[in-house]
């Protein structure tokens, strides 16, 4: 996740594919859909194996435009190729190039970079798109130390990869989403949310047809910012633009892992201003409903000690299961989430 003070070779690794606690504001609306259990297919082992690769020394902290980030981009693209998930229709490959000139206002000089994207087309409303995003860049090497970025944000990156794997797995079984899904791995987040900004200014699909953005940034740890002992996730932004999205999210939680959902960072007076500090905000600025999934900061935030051995994979698995179930509901609901009247 971007710091508060920041102003806005082929990789040959074998890819292993291998009572309600929510804080509700009101009753959930009725829904006739039968709950599914596809979210149970999310595997802890898959998350751990991919995260240990992505947050290894080989990727050199994945700084935007540097060799480690290029290796990570190839790693992610090769993963989708092996799964048989294509790049978006109308594109030449899995990469959306981001010129260095677009990032000239970064806190340090950055080289050309790229977003990585993959796509599954819907069957009934293919022109309506759900974007699930995560940034895969981190801080790189500073003063000869690798900033591994295991939680920030290898955790979100491999979560997105695993969610895509399950979408494809059940797609191959003939269980296909009604709407389309764009799996979007963005770069340049740490230096100014550049990858998501570049996408919304150069979208491959109409922003008006983008029904929501689910953004995943730091979901592998616990934080002292959550003071209870139970399993939790901070949700940011779910109530700001669309009550429909908020209610659907709560319903998805009830019908799956039943985490404690904490909305403390939605407060307008949040001193950290978390709502404005990750890639979902570039979608929200374009009136696209968003949910940001976040575990809070910890003692290793933006330090070389943010390493894979500190990831809580059982808890991370539950969080990914929730995100998958939310995404599955979004692409299969009869209607897309409506914007609240004050945002129209």
């Amino acid at each position: 996740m971007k710091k508060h003070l920041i102003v806005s070779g082929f990789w040959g690794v074998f890819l292993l594919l291998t009572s309600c606690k929510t804080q509700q504001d009101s009753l959930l609306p009725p829904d006739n859909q039968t709950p599914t259990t596809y979210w149970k297919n999310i595997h802890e082992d898959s998350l751990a194996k991919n995260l240990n690769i992505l947050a290894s020394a080989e990727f050199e902290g994945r700084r935007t435009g540097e060799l480690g980030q290029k290796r990570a981009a190839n790693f992610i693209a090769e993963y989708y190729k092996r799964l048989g998930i294509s790049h978006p229709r109308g594109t030449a490959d899995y990469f959306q190039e981001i010129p260095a000139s677009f990032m000239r206002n970064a806190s340090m000089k950055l080289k050309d970079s790229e977003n990585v994207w993959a796509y599954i087309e819907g069957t009934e409303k293919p022109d309506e798109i759900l974007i699930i995003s995560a940034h895969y860049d981190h801080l790189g090497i500073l003063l000869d130390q690798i900033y591994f970025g295991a939680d920030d944000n290898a955790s979100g990156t491999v979560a997105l990869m695993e969610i895509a794997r399950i979408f494809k797995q059940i797609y191959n079984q003939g269980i296909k989403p009604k709407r389309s899904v764009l799996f979007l791995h963005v770069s340049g987040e740490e230096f100014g949310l550049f990858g998501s900004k570049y996408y919304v200014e150069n979208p491959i699909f109409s922003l008006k047809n983008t029904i929501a953005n689910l953004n995943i940034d730091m979901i592998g740890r616990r934080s002292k910012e959550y003071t209870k002992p139970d399993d939790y996730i901070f949700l940011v932004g779910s109530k700001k633009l669309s009550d429909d999205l908020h209610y659907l999210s709560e319903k998805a939680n009830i019908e799956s892992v039943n985490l404690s959902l904490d909305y403390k960072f939605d407060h307008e007076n949040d001193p950290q201003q978390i709502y404005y500090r990750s890639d979902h905000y570039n979608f929200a600025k374009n009136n696209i409903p968003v949910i940001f999934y976040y575990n809070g900061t910890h003692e290793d935030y933006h330090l070389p000690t943010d390493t894979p051995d500190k990831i809580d994979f059982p808890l991370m698995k539950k969080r990914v299961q929730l995100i998958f179930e939310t995404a599955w509901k979004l692409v299969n609901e009869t209607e897309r989430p409506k914007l609240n009247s004050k945002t129209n």
Side-chain angles (χ1 to χ4, degrees):
M1 187 179 69
K2 181 169 71 81
K3 271 189 176 180
H4 191 38
L5 295 178
I6 291 176
V7 178
S8 359
F10 179 78
W11 183 253
V13 175
F14 175 69
L15 298 168
L16 291 163
L17 310 173
T18 45
S19 87
C20 178
K21 296 183 291 183
T22 55
Q23 301 169 3
Q24 298 178 6
D25 297 329
S26 60
L27 294 176
L28 300 175
D31 192 314
N32 294 325
Q33 287 192 356
T34 302
T36 64
T37 58
Y38 307 133
W39 54 271
K40 292 183 178 180
N41 294 339
I42 298 291
H43 286 174
E44 184 179 325
D45 287 349
S46 298
L47 294 166
K49 288 170 183 174
N50 283 325
L51 189 144
N52 276 285
I53 293 170
L54 197 63
S56 68
E58 187 71 20
F59 290 89
E60 301 179 350
R62 310 183 304 279
R63 183 188 295 180
T64 302
E66 301 298 333
L67 178 60
Q69 178 258 300
K70 306 293 185 181
R71 288 174 175 166
N74 285 330
F75 172 77
I76 295 165
E78 184 67 14
Y79 176 90
Y80 287 114
K81 189 183 299 183
R82 287 173 180 262
L83 282 179
I85 302 177
S86 67
H87 48 82
R89 50 183 167 87
T91 65
D93 54 32
Y94 289 95
F95 306 112
Q96 182 184 37
E97 304 296 333
I98 308 171
S101 59
F102 185 81
M103 300 180 284
R104 60 183 176 273
N105 293 326
S107 55
M108 63 176 61
K109 186 175 181 179
L110 300 175
K111 301 175 184 177
D112 293 346
S113 188
E114 47 276 311
N115 294 332
V116 185
W117 50 24
Y119 172 75
I120 291 179
E121 187 163 275
T123 56
E124 295 183 16
K125 299 181 179 182
D127 292 333
E128 293 189 2
I129 313 294
L130 169 66
I131 296 179
I132 314 176
S133 61
H135 77 89
Y136 70 100
D137 64 294
H138 194 53
L139 300 177
I141 300 175
L142 299 170
L143 300 177
D144 296 324
Q145 288 189 294
I146 298 174
Y147 285 64
F148 294 96
D151 189 32
D152 185 13
N153 185 35
S155 66
T157 302
V158 302
L160 180 50
M161 294 163 69
E162 178 71 355
I163 289 167
R165 184 180 74 85
I166 304 308
F167 263 92
K168 181 61 173 176
Q169 179 186 82
I170 61 179
Y171 186 98
N172 290 343
Q173 297 169 3
I175 306 165
K176 302 178 180 180
K178 295 178 182 179
R179 295 179 177 84
S180 300
V181 187
L182 181 67
F183 306 98
L184 182 63
H185 299 264
V186 295
S187 184
E189 191 270 357
E190 296 288 6
F191 302 97
L193 312 183
F194 287 113
S196 54
K197 184 175 188 290
Y198 190 81
Y199 178 83
V200 299
E201 293 183 12
N202 303 272
I204 189 63
F205 301 112
S206 166
L207 295 184
K208 290 184 178 179
N209 287 341
T210 301
I211 66 167
N213 168 237
L214 305 181
N215 183 47
I216 315 169
D217 189 354
M218 298 177 59
I219 61 162
R221 299 274 296 264
R222 293 181 180 269
S223 170
K224 292 180 180 178
E225 291 171 322
Y226 187 80
T227 58
K228 300 175 184 177
D230 54 350
D231 290 342
Y232 76 98
I233 187 72
F234 292 117
L235 297 191
V236 186
S238 68
K239 298 181 284 187
K240 288 186 178 291
L241 296 178
S242 173
D243 288 341
D244 285 354
L245 179 60
H246 175 66
Y247 293 137
L248 181 145
S249 167
E250 294 255 339
K251 181 177 174 62
N253 187 52
I254 290 170
E255 294 181 355
S256 59
V257 290
N258 203 27
L259 291 170
S260 285
L261 306 183
D262 193 300
Y263 300 101
K264 67 178 291 183
F265 294 116
D266 264 346
H267 198 284
E268 288 298 326
N269 294 323
D270 167 31
Q272 298 186 63
Q273 295 292 284
I274 294 296
Y275 178 64
Y276 305 96
R277 290 174 52 193
S278 190
D279 292 294
H280 60 280
Y281 184 59
N282 281 319
F283 292 95
K285 286 195 297 186
N286 285 275
N287 251 15
I288 296 169
V290 301
I291 303 177
F292 172 29
Y293 298 89
Y294 175 56
N295 52 217
T297 57
H298 44 72
E299 61 273 15
D300 301 301
Y301 174 64
H302 278 198
L303 291 175
T305 50
D306 181 10
T307 49
D309 57 296
K310 296 173 182 174
I311 298 296
D312 184 339
F313 285 106
L315 176 55
M316 180 176 165
K317 173 185 172 181
K318 291 181 181 180
R319 292 165 172 170
V320 180
Q321 288 174 325
L322 169 61
I323 301 165
F324 174 88
E325 179 63 11
T326 305
W328 185 253
K329 287 186 179 300
L330 279 167
V331 295
N332 289 293
E333 286 288 300
T334 302
E335 300 293 335
R336 61 187 286 178
K338 293 182 179 63
L339 289 168
N340 297 336
S341 57
K342 65 182 179 180
T343 65
N344 290 337

